[in-house]
């Protein structure tokens, strides 16, 4: 056992931290988030140049990392900067599925993704599906040498700026069957693909997508027909590690802003940090953040284990980070008082993102239930 | 002990229902029940309808136009109004300033201002908090210096809710720096049109404009606008805050918000089954229902108990704490109920007249924003920490 | 609506409060609880004389009360005194079933119960039944003119000193069917009834009972064959109102002892009540106790409503009193520190009883689940 | 970063398992795993077995007979020992006094006392708390007055765990009343056989005798029994408390208690199904599992991090808080798991040799008593409130 970062990862961490601190102040982040694209293509190019997208892919795929701890180190720092660029959508999710299922031809897209030249998005969740990974009702039926896709996709991150979409659809079985889920890699401008983009409350961009008789060639199918589920599950496990690590960065920023405020804001003639009730609550916040960090380390390190142990660790991390993230966000706002309710102050933007992470790829209740199911399956 | 409504109470409830049925515009209740933003005219319109019926001032003595209702009647009216989708009554003139005027104002002030509150001539806002004086209100710095038959006011107020619509502001100002901080405060009524007043919006974390900063730059206020005595304003301010906290339990509104959550939980599906049948969700929902059911009785019990006046401070603190905690729990669970559809946020969709197709279910648009916006309720009106301090001082002598 | 006590109940409350304060100091209570019977027959006679047992029965049954608010007023005061006499076992439970189902002959026992001359116990719960009201596996089979009972009863309050037992058994259906539950009123010394008494951790007495070919005459059957369930449910609803009211008394004693301690115990040169962290927690304790009290009022007042509304109110009260009782007990101990861990101090005895009430007739989880089921049934 | 055991660590674990398999008496592990009370001989016996193997002193430097294990090895040993049902090692001499002796004791003291701790010649107990000095330890009043080459000690200590078995006590005593309360404290080693010492049992709320009061009435203690310098005892005391807190995380014991809870939850039935399948119960259990899984990593991470020495105070405070909270959650849920069978309490059933049929399931007897007894863990060793104070002072500068 060893709890120190490798030298490479320590360097990566420092580099991202420095870049974000120097180039991504909060006003700039607001400007970027409110732009039409919802992110900055210029920033994206710089991130690519620094190798940050590549850090999320294995050497085999043309990257130089791709392990759980690479994800967690990078996303923690992205969280600290409230970075909105599509690392999750393009690299972890779409890139992750292509990497697992793609043939050589399809995988050639990875080079562009890593270089930042092409953007991809992962159109998987559906309007009635909530967080369930196998809730695919979108259909794909096979004709002579092409497939026809019909259905709807919900809250797809960064789809409205994507060049490529990884779309899941069902060739057999009922919704909630794991078997029968297919994945396709298609250009986002394929006929019949309608994308309606919108902002999210925490400053990201997402889209509703409708697929109306979308015709795609056989060569768009990723992997074997109906066998995409395990790759989807794995990509989302990695996405959850990324989100949990991002939440650690956010929690620590919320903590630091609040500590600073407690030391400087005076009421009743003393800094409010002198009030014992707040001190004790803050001590709880600090203690719990250490717990969340441990859970993320466990999940990142266990990504290579068997499916059940891997998924249990991921669900543990997402549950604890959801619970503790909410505690941190709500306590930080409450201890600040009114100032934390205002747009022009920094804290609420971190708090909003921290809360909304619970709505991506499974909230506290979903992951708790999933953990219980996995435990039961393991015991059986 | 009797938990049932008496025949008179039932008759009153029917009367309220009939009134709401006949007088509350459908267009207005639709807006309220779907979480759309209300305009100034929406709020003022409902105020006028209530005033016409004589049901506006439920906390005033009858001689000034109050309803004369007891605690149970007030609760019935609140429950029914909320359930029907009536907008909340803007409290600044009616529920905050008026009790102070009635108790401490001069006859001239009462005669002039009270009718104008009722008929809508004046829209009041509150000038209490300052950037450096939040929980520690007594540290306020806005100065009022006597100059002949005027005060000259300089300083800044903040968190002025709906100040953008107001033509009047009641202010706590410092008229003396001697003695304890509480001792040099006075209570002034100020016309918002007076030269030297500037109103600047504060945008809240979810992007709305509800509150404002108000700047005073050599603003001349006639001395007859002073309430009571100079330097005694702290007494009046505390009286007002106690009244504010009593209203803040918000049982009726919480019941409606909970009913809306149940409605959503029946429509949302989890693995093809209604979310409300999911054991974890059901448990969270049941907890809130139980808490609110007890809270509703706590509210009536404390408000109607004989010692309610003596213990008004700590009792209303308990109601504030529990009422706001329950409301935040409802907001939190409603947010969760939506799953991924809590994320989309198209601000225009909250304005009446937006006619594009909603993103996700039609009830989704305001939910996350409401959750964030309602973080304020445990902060304002004396934060819940301040309330806990009041309870420990007044009920426990700690 | 009216939240003031009637004059009669206000007098009852005062009388019990005074009697308990004068005659039931804690040392005496320990002595009584540790005696062979686990209660004092002398006290019981005095309670009877004061009319306190009668207060739990209607005039029709020879009492002078019996409504929900009579129960709640009395048990709150019994809670304050940590009274161990068998009000719950003899009057509310056994007496409550007899009152609902008994014929004139059987009901004649009520006079003795009210007068304190005879003691009854309610043998209903079973070793595998947990808190479920219909979990009756004990069988009763009918012969010519008598019944034969076989089975086991668990944690039966005050059975080892009872003269009479109300025993439930099943004549038809499976365990967990409501239909098929019978109740019998039998002498405790009937052949084949084996009673093993023991103390409980909170100072009460309970017993395990085995029924081995117990022969009872037809005349022992309470009410119609197989139709006892509604009366059992009602008796236990009233028992839960009693327990919840008892818990209010306990909570207020814990609160008062703790407040006194906070004002007098000094650490770091000041009374520990000056520490804001404790002040704020204590404010929460006070606020929550008001909530618990409201829930008990609601349950007591709604005992006369339809079954579902009645049972929902009871489950709400038992859930909230369980949650808040635990909060109060644990916070009271923690704020005291070490002294609260000692037998010779008063607080822990109240705290123990407060915690263990959760284990009688349904804990927080049981009643939460029951509430959810009842709500679903109501909505359907 | 690597969460897996290295080959060396795996080999060590196998060695530990083999040792436990061969050396831990079955009669002893049965008692531990079924929650029976241990006798003095039980505890001393296991102490001796460990000492024979050289595995007793895992926190001591090797030169004094320590094991030389790193943080991971210590955790492996703790996990395996707990899982096998080994009794906890009595910490007063080994883990509390010894670090102080090693750091601050004279050579003569080290040479004399350390071997006697290892070989069991001395059973130490702790004389820290007093009736008026609990969380505020520095306010202690037990006086030691110099008289020739002795100190004469008068006063009272309390919460002296297992003092009934001890032949030695280490005490904080007041040797000066000048300066701040912390400044006049000294650290004395006292023989329990000295005339003037009286031990009186304190019975805990569930009826057990674990702790004692110790009275000192003109007790004469040789001056060579002073540790370090007179009036510097507070420094040594704090050093000891930090070590105590580090041990208090109790990850291994918590894992065993959790496994026992899972075991019970599989046997208990709710409507004929195992309790562990009940969604509400499963949720509470999963929460504890998740918390403990993270806690276990927090523990290793903080103990093995390079700055562990610098931050020893606040870090061990976090471990104390979280470790005790998790343990109490386990005790609470175990109690609930039993349903009505949590109530029966036949104290004798907890003594070895009790041979009557159990009331209810055979694992039920100690459960409620354990819940109540373990309320102490958030109080002793510096209450969790004191720990939160340390965190806010040392990590946050508040």
């Amino acid at each position: 056992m060893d709890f120190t970062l490798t030298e490479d990862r320590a360097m990566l961490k420092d580099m991202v931290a420095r870049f974000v601190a120097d180039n991504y102040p909060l006003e700039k982040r607001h400007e970027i988030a409110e732009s039409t694209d919802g992110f900055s293509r210029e920033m994206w190019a710089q991130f690519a140049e620094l190798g940050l997208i590549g850090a999320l892919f294995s050497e085999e795929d043309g990257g130089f990392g791709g392990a759980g701890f690479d994800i967690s180190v990078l996303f923690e720092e992205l969280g600290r900067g409230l970075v909105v660029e599509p690392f999750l959508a393009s690299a972890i999710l779409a890139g992750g599925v292509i990497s697992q299922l793609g043939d050589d031809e399809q995988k050639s897209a990875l080079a562009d993704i890593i270089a930042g030249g092409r953007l991809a998005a992962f159109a998987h969740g559906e309007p009635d599906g909530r967080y369930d990974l196998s809730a695919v009702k979108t259909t794909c039926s096979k004709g002579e040498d092409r497939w026809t896709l019909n259905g709807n996709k919900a809250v797809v991150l960064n789809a409205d700026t994507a060049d490529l979409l990884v779309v899941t659809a069902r060739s057999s079985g009922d919704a909630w069957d794991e078997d029968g889920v297919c994945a396709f890699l298609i250009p986002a401008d394929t006929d019949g693909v309608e994308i309606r983009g919108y902002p999210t409350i925490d400053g990201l961009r997402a889209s509703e997508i409708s697929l109306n008789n979308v015709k795609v060639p056989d060569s768009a199918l990723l992997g074997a027909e109906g066998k995409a589920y395990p790759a989807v599950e794995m990509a989302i496990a990695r996405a959850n590690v990324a989100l949990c690590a991002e939440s650690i960065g956010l929690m620590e920023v919320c903590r630091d802003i609040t500590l600073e405020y407690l030391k400087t804001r005076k009421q009743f003639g003393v800094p409010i940090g002198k009030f014992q009730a707040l001190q004790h609550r803050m001590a709880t916040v600090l203690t719990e953040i250490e717990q969340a960090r441990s859970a993320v380390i466990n999940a990142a390190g266990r990504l290579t284990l068997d499916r059940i142990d891997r998924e249990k660790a991921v669900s543990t991390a997402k549950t604890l980070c959801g619970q503790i993230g909410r505690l941190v966000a709500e306590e930080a706002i409450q201890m600040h008082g009114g100032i934390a309710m205002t747009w022009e102050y920094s804290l609420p933007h971190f708090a909003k993102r921290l809360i909304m992470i619970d709505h991506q790829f499974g909230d506290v209740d979903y992951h708790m239930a999933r953990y219980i199911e996995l435990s039961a399956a393991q015991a059986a | 002990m009797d938990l049932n409504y008496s025949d008179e109470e039932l008759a009153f409830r029917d009367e309220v229902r009939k009134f709401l049925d006949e007088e509350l515009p459908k267009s207005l209740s639709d807006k309220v029940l779907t979480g759309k933003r209300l305009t100034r005219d929406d709020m003022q319109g409902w105020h006028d309808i209530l005033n016409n019926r004589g049901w506006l001032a439920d906390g005033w003595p009858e001689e000034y136009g109050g309803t004369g209702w007891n605690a149970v009647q007030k609760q019935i009216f609140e429950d029914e109004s909320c359930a029907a989708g009536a907008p909340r009554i803007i409290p600044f003139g009616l529920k905050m300033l008026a009790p102070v005027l009635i108790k401490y104002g001069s006859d001239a002030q009462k005669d002039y201002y009270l009718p104008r509150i009722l008929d809508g001539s004046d829209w009041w806002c509150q000038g209490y908090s300052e950037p450096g004086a939040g929980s520690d209100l007594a540290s306020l710095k806005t100065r009022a210096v006597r100059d002949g038959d005027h005060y000259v006011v300089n300083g800044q107020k903040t968190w002025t809710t709906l100040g953008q619509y107001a033509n009047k502001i009641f202010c706590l100002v410092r008229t003396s720096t001697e003695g304890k901080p509480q001792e040099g405060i006075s209570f002034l009524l100020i016309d918002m049109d007076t030269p030297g007043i500037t109103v600047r919006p504060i945008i809240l974390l979810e992007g709305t404009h509800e509150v404002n900063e108000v700047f005073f730059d050599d603003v001349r206020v006639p001395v007859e606008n002073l309430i009571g005595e100079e330097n005694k304003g702290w007494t009046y301010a505390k009286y007002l805050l106690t009244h504010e906290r009593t209203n803040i339990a918000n049982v009726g509104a919480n019941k409606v918000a909970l009913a809306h959550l149940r409605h959503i939980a029946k429509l949302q599906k989890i693995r093809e089954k209604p979310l409300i049948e999911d054991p974890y969700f059901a448990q969270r929902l049941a907890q809130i229902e139980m808490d609110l059911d007890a809270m509703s009785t706590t509210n009536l019990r404390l408000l109607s108990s004989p010692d309610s006046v003596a213990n008004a401070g700590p009792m209303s603190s308990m109601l504030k704490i529990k009422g706001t905690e329950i409301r935040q729990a409802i907001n939190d669970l409603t947010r969760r109920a939506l799953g991924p559809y809590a994320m989309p946020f198209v601000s225009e969709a909250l304005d009446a007249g937006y006619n594009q197709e909603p993103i996700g279910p039609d009830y989704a648009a305001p939910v996350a924003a409401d959750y964030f916006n309602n973080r304020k309720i445990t902060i304002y009106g004396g934060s819940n920490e301040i309330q806990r301090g009041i309870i420990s001082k007044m009920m426990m002598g700690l």
Side-chain angles (χ1 to χ4, degrees), chain A, chain B:
Chain A
M1 285 201 182
D2 178 12
F3 293 99
T4 51
L5 288 179
T6 59
E7 211 172 305
D8 283 356
R9 289 191 187 120
M11 278 173 53
L12 173 69
K13 185 179 168 71
D14 285 350
M15 181 179 66
V16 185
R18 215 170 328 110
F19 182 85
V20 167
D22 293 346
N23 300 284
Y24 219 91
L26 193 57
E27 316 80 70
K28 175 110 188 191
R29 187 266 186 183
H30 288 331
E31 209 179 279
I32 292 173
E34 286 163 22
S35 69
T36 318
D37 286 345
F39 72 97
S40 155
R41 290 180 187 272
E42 193 192 322
M43 276 294 170
W44 189 238
Q46 290 187 55
F47 285 134
E49 203 170 314
L50 289 171
L52 304 191
I53 311 175
L56 300 170
F57 289 90
S58 67
E59 289 184 28
E60 202 176 84
D61 287 333
F64 24 87
F69 292 119
D70 297 308
I71 298 173
S72 63
V73 163
L74 176 57
F75 272 84
E76 182 177 331
E77 297 306 322
L78 297 177
R80 272 183 226 283
L82 270 181
V83 171
V84 295
E85 276 64 29
F87 285 95
L88 196 72
S90 193
I92 298 277
L93 289 164
V97 174
I98 297 167
S99 155
Q100 289 178 82
L101 297 178
D103 56 26
D104 288 349
E105 176 63 28
Q106 291 163 328
K107 277 189 165 184
S108 69
L110 292 179
D112 284 351
I113 288 174
I114 290 171
R118 280 212 280 183
L119 290 161
F122 181 48
H124 175 61
E126 302 200 355
D128 293 336
R130 244 183 136 75
Y131 303 117
D132 279 300
L133 301 187
S134 56
V136 175
K137 290 182 179 172
T138 295
T139 57
C140 55
S141 53
K142 193 169 177 177
E144 194 82 349
D145 56 354
R146 57 185 201 171
W147 294 77
T148 306
L149 276 57
N150 276 293
N152 294 288
K153 296 290 176 179
V155 199
V156 180
L157 279 177
N158 300 104
D160 55 347
T161 44
D163 305 298
L164 297 171
L165 295 178
V166 172
V167 181
T168 54
R170 182 171 289 287
S171 60
S172 67
D174 293 327
W176 287 275
D177 285 344
E178 293 177 4
D179 216 58
V181 176
C182 303
F184 297 90
L185 176 60
I186 65 172
D189 59 3
T190 305
D191 277 352
V193 176
E194 228 176 277
I195 299 176
R196 180 183 176 201
Y198 49 78
T200 69
I201 193 147
D202 50 348
L204 307 182
R205 289 284 298 179
S207 299
E208 301 295 282
I209 300 180
S210 66
L211 303 156
N212 303 303
N213 289 317
V214 177
K215 311 287 185 193
V216 305
D218 235 3
S219 61
L221 182 68
L222 284 158
E225 179 187 330
K227 300 298 177 201
Y229 180 81
V232 167
E233 190 177 61
M234 183 67 185
I236 289 174
R238 290 162 54 90
N240 272 321
V241 169
L243 288 167
C244 288
E246 184 186 349
S247 81
I248 299 293
L250 293 161
M251 287 182 215
E252 294 198 345
V253 173
C254 288
R255 175 196 68 190
D256 294 342
I257 295 173
T258 305
L259 276 177
E260 188 54 34
Y261 192 77
L262 290 174
K263 287 178 197 164
T264 49
R265 167 73 170 179
K266 286 188 180 175
Q267 293 278 272
F268 306 103
V270 293
I272 58 176
K274 289 285 173 207
F275 291 107
Q276 195 195 35
L278 300 189
Q279 289 177 356
H280 281 203
R281 284 159 59 183
M282 204 64 198
T284 299
V285 165
L286 259 70
T287 304
E288 294 298 325
I289 291 175
E290 292 304 328
Q291 285 284 91
R293 179 177 286 286
S294 292
V296 177
I297 288 171
N298 288 343
R302 294 179 195 161
L303 274 180
T304 51
L305 299 188
D306 294 348
R307 175 179 174 266
I308 289 192
D309 284 323
R310 176 191 81 205
E311 294 292 321
K312 276 179 74 174
V314 168
S315 285
T316 298
K318 197 70 174 21
T319 302
L320 291 181
C321 289
Q323 292 171 335
I324 297 167
R326 183 182 158 205
L327 171 82
V328 174
E330 293 186 351
E331 282 289 62
I333 291 174
Q334 184 68 25
M335 290 194 213
H336 270 85
I339 183 81
M341 291 299 300
T342 65
W343 182 273
E344 66 187 342
Y345 191 60
S346 59
L347 175 79
H349 301 284
F350 293 89
K352 281 194 288 181
R353 177 73 191 123
L354 195 42
I355 292 289
M356 297 317 290
I357 279 182
D358 199 39
H359 291 270
Q360 295 186 282
F361 301 107
D363 66 5
V364 163
D365 285 345
Y366 169 82
H367 281 287
M368 177 71 88
R370 184 168 164 83
Y371 176 93
I372 292 168
E373 272 177 37
L374 290 161
S375 296
Q378 201 167 35
Chain B
M1 289 271 189
D2 189 351
L3 302 185
N4 301 308
Y5 287 130
S6 65
D7 288 345
E8 294 75 33
E9 288 163 349
L10 287 172
F12 176 72
R13 189 180 67 182
D14 290 343
E15 198 185 346
V16 172
R17 284 186 180 170
K18 182 156 176 288
F19 163 73
L20 290 164
D21 194 43
E22 290 170 2
E23 301 288 340
L24 176 62
K26 175 91 170 59
S27 60
L28 187 52
S29 58
D30 278 352
K31 270 189 175 179
V32 169
L33 294 174
T34 57
K36 291 276 198 290
R37 295 188 187 114
L38 300 186
T39 63
R40 187 191 194 290
D41 288 348
D42 288 332
M43 302 184 239
Q44 190 65 53
W46 181 236
H47 178 108
D48 293 342
I49 291 168
L50 287 174
N51 188 41
N52 287 340
R53 182 67 170 82
W55 281 1
L56 184 59
D58 73 358
W60 297 17
E62 285 178 83
E63 52 182 306
Y64 298 112
T67 59
W69 293 337
N70 63 22
V72 174
Q73 285 176 303
K74 286 181 198 170
Q75 192 61 49
I76 289 173
F77 183 75
E78 191 197 330
D79 284 354
E80 296 297 327
S81 296
C82 288
R88 115 190 147 106
I89 302 166
I90 302 304
F92 307 103
L94 202 68
K95 304 197 171 193
M96 295 167 76
L97 177 60
V100 173
L101 277 173
I102 289 166
K103 189 165 169 87
Y104 300 106
S106 66
D107 286 344
Q109 287 169 334
K110 287 189 245 195
D111 290 347
Y112 180 72
Y113 289 114
L114 291 176
R116 291 175 59 86
I117 289 173
L118 291 179
D119 71 13
S121 304
D122 291 334
W123 183 303
W124 286 92
C125 64
Q126 183 185 33
Y128 266 37
S129 298
E130 298 182 5
S135 290
D136 180 16
L137 189 55
S139 70
L140 62 88
K141 291 198 168 59
T142 295
R143 293 291 311 270
V145 178
R146 184 75 180 257
D147 178 27
D149 53 3
H150 281 77
Y151 288 102
V152 181
V153 179
N154 280 286
Q156 180 191 350
K157 292 292 175 182
T158 193
W159 312 128
T160 312
T161 303
L162 300 183
Q164 68 267 41
Y165 300 148
N167 67 324
K168 304 271 185 193
I169 181 167
F170 55 89
C171 279
L172 295 181
V173 293
R174 183 158 300 288
T175 41
S176 164
T177 52
E178 280 163 37
K180 283 197 283 181
Q182 289 87 338
E183 286 168 16
I185 291 172
S186 298
F187 194 112
L188 269 190
L189 310 180
I190 305 180
D191 200 312
M192 294 286 277
D193 296 333
T194 322
I197 293 183
T198 316
V199 179
R200 197 183 78 94
I202 297 173
I203 303 304
L204 292 186
L205 77 170
E206 18 64 273
T208 51
H209 173 205
E210 260 175 41
V211 292
N212 302 271
E213 294 177 293
V214 182
F215 297 88
F216 297 85
D217 183 15
D218 284 337
V219 174
R220 295 185 68 82
V221 181
V223 292
E224 64 260 31
N225 286 15
L226 180 73
I227 295 282
E229 290 178 57
E230 195 176 277
N231 296 336
K232 298 283 186 208
W234 188 248
T235 306
Y236 321 145
K238 279 202 309 185
Y239 181 75
L240 182 156
L241 284 176
T242 304
H243 269 263
E244 187 187 5
R245 280 200 297 275
T246 305
N247 292 327
I248 225 158
N250 266 329
V251 171
N254 284 351
K255 285 181 187 166
V256 178
L258 181 57
H260 186 56
L261 169 55
R262 283 190 75 91
H263 171 73
I264 290 175
K266 284 177 193 159
L267 296 176
Q268 282 283 311
K269 294 285 198 309
I270 183 164
R271 297 199 187 183
E272 306 286 0
K273 276 170 51 180
L275 179 62
I276 203 166
E277 294 174 17
D278 176 72
Y280 304 112
F281 187 89
Q283 187 184 26
R284 293 187 197 278
L285 186 67
Q287 182 75 56
I288 296 173
E289 282 183 8
M290 290 178 175
D291 288 342
L292 183 54
D293 183 49
M295 165 77 190
S296 165
T297 295
T298 305
N299 189 44
L300 275 172
R301 196 158 60 79
L302 296 185
L303 290 180
S304 65
S305 80
D307 58 354
S308 66
V309 179
N311 276 329
M315 281 191 346
S316 62
S317 293
M318 287 187 181
L319 292 173
K320 155 103 209 261
I321 290 170
K322 205 65 208 173
T324 52
E325 285 177 353
I326 289 174
R327 182 47 171 265
Q328 290 185 340
I330 295 170
N331 285 131
D332 174 64
L333 194 57
T334 309
R335 167 175 72 71
R336 292 170 193 241
L338 294 188
Y341 275 122
M343 296 196 75
F345 185 61
V346 180
S347 181
E348 309 84 74
L350 300 182
D351 294 323
Y354 179 79
N355 54 13
Q356 290 187 47
E357 206 190 324
I359 313 285
D362 58 5
Y363 45 74
V367 169
D370 280 352
Y371 162 82
F372 286 111
N373 183 282
N374 268 346
R375 301 314 306 169
K376 73 187 175 198
I377 63 180
T378 47
I379 296 170
Y380 70 18
S383 71
N384 285 19
E385 286 78 13
I386 293 289
Q387 308 302 336
R388 292 203 166 85
I390 291 171
I391 293 169
S392 70
K393 205 166 289 169
M394 298 183 69
M395 290 194 83
M396 306 191 283
L398 292 180

